[in-house]
Amino acid sequence: MSVVERPVVVALMGVGLLGAGVTASVAPEGGLVSAGIPLLGAILAVVGMRLPAVRLLRRTETALVPGVIAEPAVVPEPAVESVTSEGENRLDELCVRVLPIWSRQIESARTQSESAVANLTNSFADIDARLSAALDVYRNAADGMIRSQSGEQRSVIELIDKGRNDLSAMLERLRSGMEARSGVFNRVKEIAKFTNELREMATTVSGIATQTNLLALNAAIEAARAGEAGRGFSVVADEVRKLSTLSDNAGKQICQRVDAVSGSILAIAQMTEQQAGLEEQAMRDSELMIQGVLTVFGDTVGYLTQAAAEFQDEGQAVQQAIGEVMVSLQFQDRISQILGHVTADLGRLEAHLASGEQGIDVEAWLDDLARTYTTLEQQDHHRGVQNNSAGAAAEITFF
Amino acid sequence: MAKTIMIVDDSATLRQVVGIALKGAGYEVVEACDGKDALGKLDGRKIHLIVCDVNMPNMDGITFVKEMKAMAGYKFTPVIMLTTEAGEAKKQEGQMAGARAWVVKPFQPPQMLNAVSKLILP
């Protein structure tokens, strides 16, 4: 089967591939034909069956196609005489019937691809939006932007730092309390020292009372020895002895009380010392425990921060990839337009054949077709030159 | 307050793609599927810029720009034509209609955003 023997089939293949967005070549049995040409081949083949001028053009067109490796001599020019009017009529009928079918198939492919790409775009947009939302949530978690009880927005790291500072301040206050208690303990020990002095003083008082008692006794003896003259002095000596006895008793009582107070103070001092020791140990334990907890928090925050950063990097990479995919999806608009032009031209050909009008100005037809093009690659395909412009970077012109 | 950009294109895909690029840059977006639809949405609301396709059903982009420029509230609204049309004649037609820039599809979002930031109304 050669290009010319079965142009319709080749054209159909070409249109099909064009509809699928393929700009590569079609290979009908070893021959390569540029994707832009099969349609032209079909048109020419259809029209050329009736118009010798077109048949000549068809041969030229095939020869102009770059990359055609099919044998150039496979174009058996059918003799005009061999084309019967019956054959022409049957071909016209075929074209009138098949062209709308092709148009509908192309339109179906176009609308399906448009719908599918629109759905794809929506899905990608949805993924992009969800990813953005997830990244925001994770970024906030990583930065730890959480609302504290006071309603203030703070990061987890800031809160942990604040916790560490608060706990340090609390430990400091506990330490100050302990130091204050230690001061009390020292004062108590000083008081205990005073009690010793008081005991000594009380003992001294007792000693003085004893000495006074002895003196009073001696005075009483001397008064007795003086007889009547010493009677008054004897009364005085007796009173002094009573006073000394009272002083001795008071000194002993003071000693007892001082001993009791001293014992209590020493007991308090001992208890305070024991308590201070326990508190110091508890505070050291608390400090270690708090430091341990803060270290675990710090490590966790570090891990979370690192994980969040990695997640953000990956998320941004995915978002960038989605963005690139969505830019690439713009191909659908180009395809839609190209297929729209092909469909319109098929319709034009169908209308022409249906009108029964004999003869066709091929050059004018092709010029009209070329005027419908919007993209550079359509123009390239029309001329049968290698297409490099499809999907090229955007060109911006400012007026 | 975010500035508003109208996207006029018969391709839902293109509207979506342009919309994502613009929304990502902090703009608000109003969509219209052709020139007629777009004219209906120019109802007095503030539009800071319009991105418009050329070949559309019902009303093409060039006609839309001409009619839009005749509306009092939108006379100075800048228009960027976003189209597959690469021909100089069409470009001139767009320029004559009042478009400020001509972007050939497929576009790259950074280029589009650059053009938008240059032309958008304050």
Side-chain angles (χ1 to χ4, degrees):
Chain A
M1 184 170 68
S2 73
V3 173
V4 178
E5 284 166 345
R6 290 288 186 272
V8 172
V9 175
V10 175
L12 185 58
M13 288 170 67
V15 170
L17 282 168
L18 194 61
V22 175
T23 54
S25 301
V26 179
E29 213 173 72
L32 288 175
V33 180
S34 169
I37 300 307
L39 176 64
L40 187 61
I43 294 166
L44 294 173
V46 168
V47 179
M49 291 298 283
R50 298 190 316 177
L51 301 171
V54 174
R55 285 198 295 274
L56 282 173
L57 208 158
R58 181 186 65 190
R59 207 165 20 176
T60 310
E61 190 68 42
T62 306
L64 283 174
V65 173
V68 171
I69 56 171
E71 63 278 36
V74 295
V75 186
E77 189 63 30
V80 176
E81 295 75 20
S82 68
V83 180
T84 64
S85 62
E86 188 186 348
E88 285 177 7
N89 289 339
R90 288 183 61 196
L91 186 59
D92 283 355
E93 187 189 342
L94 172 65
C95 288
V96 167
R97 292 180 64 180
V98 82
L99 285 174
I101 294 171
W102 290 354
S103 295
R104 287 196 297 273
Q105 303 288 11
I106 292 171
E107 186 58 17
S108 170
R110 191 184 70 77
T111 52
Q112 281 183 47
S113 79
E114 187 170 346
S115 169
V117 172
N119 288 340
L120 265 178
T121 311
N122 277 332
S123 299
F124 277 121
D126 189 45
I127 292 169
D128 187 62
R130 283 166 186 269
L131 193 56
S132 289
L135 282 172
D136 282 346
V137 169
Y138 212 77
R139 195 178 293 120
N140 284 343
D143 292 343
M145 294 309 290
I146 53 177
R147 195 171 290 278
S148 63
Q149 282 185 330
S150 62
E152 215 177 344
Q153 286 276 348
R154 283 178 178 274
S155 74
V156 170
I157 294 169
E158 277 177 342
L159 281 174
I160 285 182
D161 273 349
K162 186 178 180 303
R164 185 187 286 126
N165 291 336
D166 288 351
L167 288 171
S168 298
M170 194 187 76
L171 287 172
E172 199 54 45
R173 280 197 296 275
L174 285 172
R175 203 170 283 121
S176 298
M178 279 184 62
E179 280 169 10
R181 262 196 294 276
S182 176
V184 171
F185 174 66
N186 289 335
R187 294 301 296 272
V188 167
K189 283 202 288 192
E190 278 174 21
I191 290 170
K193 245 192 290 180
F194 290 143
T195 57
N196 288 336
E197 286 172 16
L198 284 173
R199 191 187 297 110
E200 282 168 15
M201 285 164 73
T203 307
T204 304
V205 167
S206 286
I208 290 168
T210 305
Q211 291 296 321
T212 307
N213 195 19
L214 279 173
L215 277 174
L217 189 61
N218 285 331
I221 292 167
E222 290 303 320
R225 197 177 288 165
E228 192 62 27
R231 192 176 299 272
F233 190 71
S234 171
V235 173
V236 172
D238 201 30
E239 288 302 318
V240 168
R241 205 177 57 192
K242 282 180 188 170
L243 281 173
S244 70
T245 305
L246 285 172
S247 296
D248 187 33
N249 287 341
K252 282 175 182 164
Q253 280 178 357
I254 289 170
C255 267
Q256 284 171 356
R257 293 287 182 277
V258 165
D259 282 346
V261 169
S262 178
S264 294
I265 287 171
L266 283 173
I268 289 169
Q270 255 183 339
M271 282 167 66
T272 307
E273 197 169 13
Q274 281 175 353
Q275 188 64 28
L278 288 172
E279 280 181 6
E280 183 131 4
Q281 184 59 44
M283 205 172 74
R284 275 198 298 271
D285 291 348
S286 300
E287 209 167 342
L288 282 173
M289 201 178 291
I290 288 167
Q291 290 297 342
V293 169
L294 289 174
T295 303
V296 169
F297 274 2
D299 290 348
T300 307
V301 167
Y303 171 75
L304 280 174
T305 307
Q306 191 186 346
E310 285 172 13
F311 181 77
Q312 273 187 311
D313 288 347
E314 290 301 316
Q316 278 165 358
V318 171
Q319 273 190 312
Q320 193 178 347
I322 290 172
E324 285 166 8
V325 167
M326 293 188 70
V327 168
S328 299
L329 289 175
Q330 292 177 66
F331 83 92
Q332 183 275 326
D333 190 44
R334 299 175 78 86
I335 284 183
S336 186
Q337 291 202 31
I338 292 168
L339 293 182
H341 296 148
V342 171
T343 309
D345 206 52
L346 286 173
R348 193 160 64 107
L349 181 60
E350 177 200 342
H352 176 81
L353 292 174
S355 73
E357 189 184 332
Q358 295 296 311
I360 187 169
D361 184 344
V362 175
E363 289 302 328
W365 186 285
L366 292 175
D367 287 346
D368 287 345
L369 177 60
R371 271 192 289 277
T372 66
Y373 299 149
T374 58
T375 67
L376 291 175
E377 71 258 34
Q378 282 177 295
Q379 293 165 12
D380 289 346
H381 286 315
H382 188 91
R383 291 196 301 271
V385 299
Q386 187 70 34
N387 169 252
N388 294 315
S389 51
E395 175 197 328
I396 299 182
T397 309
F398 288 98
F399 301 130
Chain B
M1 192 176 152
K3 292 181 178 175
T4 305
I5 297 176
M6 177 180 271
I7 305 167
V8 190
D9 202 310
D10 57 325
S11 164
T13 305
L14 255 294
R15 288 200 303 274
Q16 187 75 265
V17 172
V18 177
I20 285 169
L22 295 177
K23 284 175 193 166
Y27 297 109
E28 282 184 4
V29 165
V30 176
E31 292 186 17
C33 62
D34 57 47
K36 203 171 171 184
D37 185 29
L39 283 179
K41 286 178 177 169
L42 294 179
D43 51 7
R45 71 180 88 184
K46 180 72 179 172
I47 300 288
H48 296 82
L49 184 136
I50 296 173
V51 177
C52 183
D53 189 13
V54 172
N55 299 304
M56 293 181 289
N58 299 321
M59 183 186 287
D60 67 87
I62 303 287
T63 309
F64 162 70
V65 175
K66 284 178 186 166
E67 296 206 9
M68 182 270 284
K69 290 286 176 185
M71 295 169 75
Y74 301 100
K75 189 174 180 181
F76 300 107
T77 306
V79 180
I80 297 174
M81 304 306 293
L82 176 62
T83 174
T84 52
E85 290 274 7
E88 282 303 317
K90 275 283 179 192
K91 275 188 193 174
Q92 281 177 9
E93 217 179 312
Q95 185 179 8
M96 295 296 286
R100 297 287 308 280
W102 192 273
V103 180
V104 178
K105 295 173 187 173
F107 72 94
Q108 292 293 325
Q111 288 175 298
M112 170 62 80
L113 292 174
N114 183 39
V116 166
S117 65
K118 277 183 182 168
L119 298 174
I120 195 161
L121 289 177

